[in-house]
Amino acid sequence: LIAKDVLGWWPGGDKLSTINWPSTSYIAAVPWLKTVEKSISGDARNSYPALADKLGLRSYKGETETRLFGLPQRNFFNLDGHLLHEDGVAAWCKENISDEGKRKRAREALQQKLKALRDASGGRPTEFYAILKMDGDRIGEKLGNPGTAGLVKEGLATFTAKVKTYFDPAKGNPANGVLVYAGGDDVLAFLPVNSAIDAAYKLRALYDASFKAAYEELLARHDAAFDEGKAIDLASFTMSAAIVFTHFKNPLRHALEKAEHYLDDVAKDKNGRDSLAIAVMKPGGIAFDWVSCWQDGNGSEPGRVMMEVAKKAIGGEDATYSTGFLYNVRERYKPIFASDDDEHGGAAEHFSDMIERVLVAEYKKQPRKGSTPYEKAKAAITPLLTIGRPLRRDADGTIDPVKHYDFNAALIARFIAVEGFCHKPRKKEKQEEAA
């Protein structure tokens, strides 16, 4: 009952065989696997499982549900998720090979072959994946209100169906994610790093659309039980979410507990609900976090801007931001304005007044950016101002940027750039096939 003990329920119901459940190490590697499928020939990539077989290894093909991600269901793509990562190879060999000499030879040979595949693809698999946990805000109150109970039931039924369709492999599964649970207003899914934020925004949009559709359907029926609810404010049907980017070596139970914490205590309680909280959980624990309402009254969406910043930090010399630039903003200025974590602002509130000029100056320190005109540099760092001043809902419902500058914002964008897009070829020229 390991899965039930960790999750609190059987994923997909009692009839699901959890033996076939994709490993988190495999989910992390999915973007790279798609790159390998397109860039490396079948003979070259299948030389890796052939090597495992030659070494006399057993049970090295541990993944059977590759169709969830639109990947082939044989050979290289069936490899145990650990065998797709250098550190994972060592862990897998230690667990599965008792003879020390054979273990060492297998580890070195597999790691060498894996490195050849990485070099040939021009990228690498990340060792991080995303846990996405979402929950409707104050649904219990609305369900207990006779004027909104009918709408809640209809809306949640529609939403659950839409979520399952979104993750359905037959429908394309655009986020390349694995839906663990969708029931009522609760969603739990595992996704690659590069698709988690977009998936969260998409599911929030489906939540809004579901209640709008349910509302119109009930009105069209002239449902007498719905008469009291005709004046319902649909904007009050909001949803909060937490994304924890976690290393596949972190115990799943602990990672899920963190996701629960960031959903309930941070996105809902601390930030006033209708919010998205993001945290990066490395093997040593939470490295940095960030929270914001989904959007402001003008339609600005800080979470989507976070992805925009991340994408502008990839591409090497052609990137808008270097990853060093995103790192230095926090490392150079947080020690000076040490109270940046004070929700009331303090010294960091004054830093917020000068952050635009500081970011422009830092931006122009990047290679090949020194001659950038001020106004062009100012436009380039505008997204960093948006994510560095995340949105918070006050007690009266007003949504405003926080007073202090959030130094963690740029680091999360940097993390997504480094780990979310590391599967992309590093060079434009055609990559050689693995030997």
Side-chain angles (χ1 to χ4, degrees), residues 109-176:
L110 290 171
Q111 288 178 335
Q112 182 178 5
K113 178 62 71 173
L114 179 60
K115 182 180 183 302
L117 287 169
R118 287 172 49 170
D119 291 345
S121 72
R124 65 173 175 84
T126 178
E127 296 184 342
F128 289 84
Y129 69 99
I131 295 176
L132 170 62
K133 188 168 179 58
M134 305 185 75
D135 184 56
D137 298 319
R138 294 193 171 97
I139 281 295
E141 296 177 13
K142 293 178 170 62
L143 191 58
N145 182 342
T148 55
L151 177 59
V152 170
K153 293 176 183 177
E154 295 265 353
L156 293 182
T158 302
F159 174 65
T160 298
K162 288 180 179 291
V163 172
K164 291 179 179 178
T165 298
Y166 179 70
F167 285 96
D168 187 348
K171 304 295 183 181
N173 189 6
N176 289 320

Side-chain angles (χ1 to χ4, degrees), residues 9 16 46 67 148 166 179 205 221 326:
W9 61 83
L16 176 72
N46 291 332
R67 63 185 178 83
T148 55
Y166 179 70
L179 179 62
R221 283 191 220 154
L326 297 178

Side-chain angles (χ1 to χ4, degrees), residues 360 363-364 366 368-378 380:
V360 167
Y363 176 85
K364 296 181 71 169
Q366 298 178 100
R368 295 169 296 280
K369 297 289 195 297
S371 61
T372 305
Y374 185 88
E375 289 301 318
K376 186 175 181 180
K378 178 181 174 181

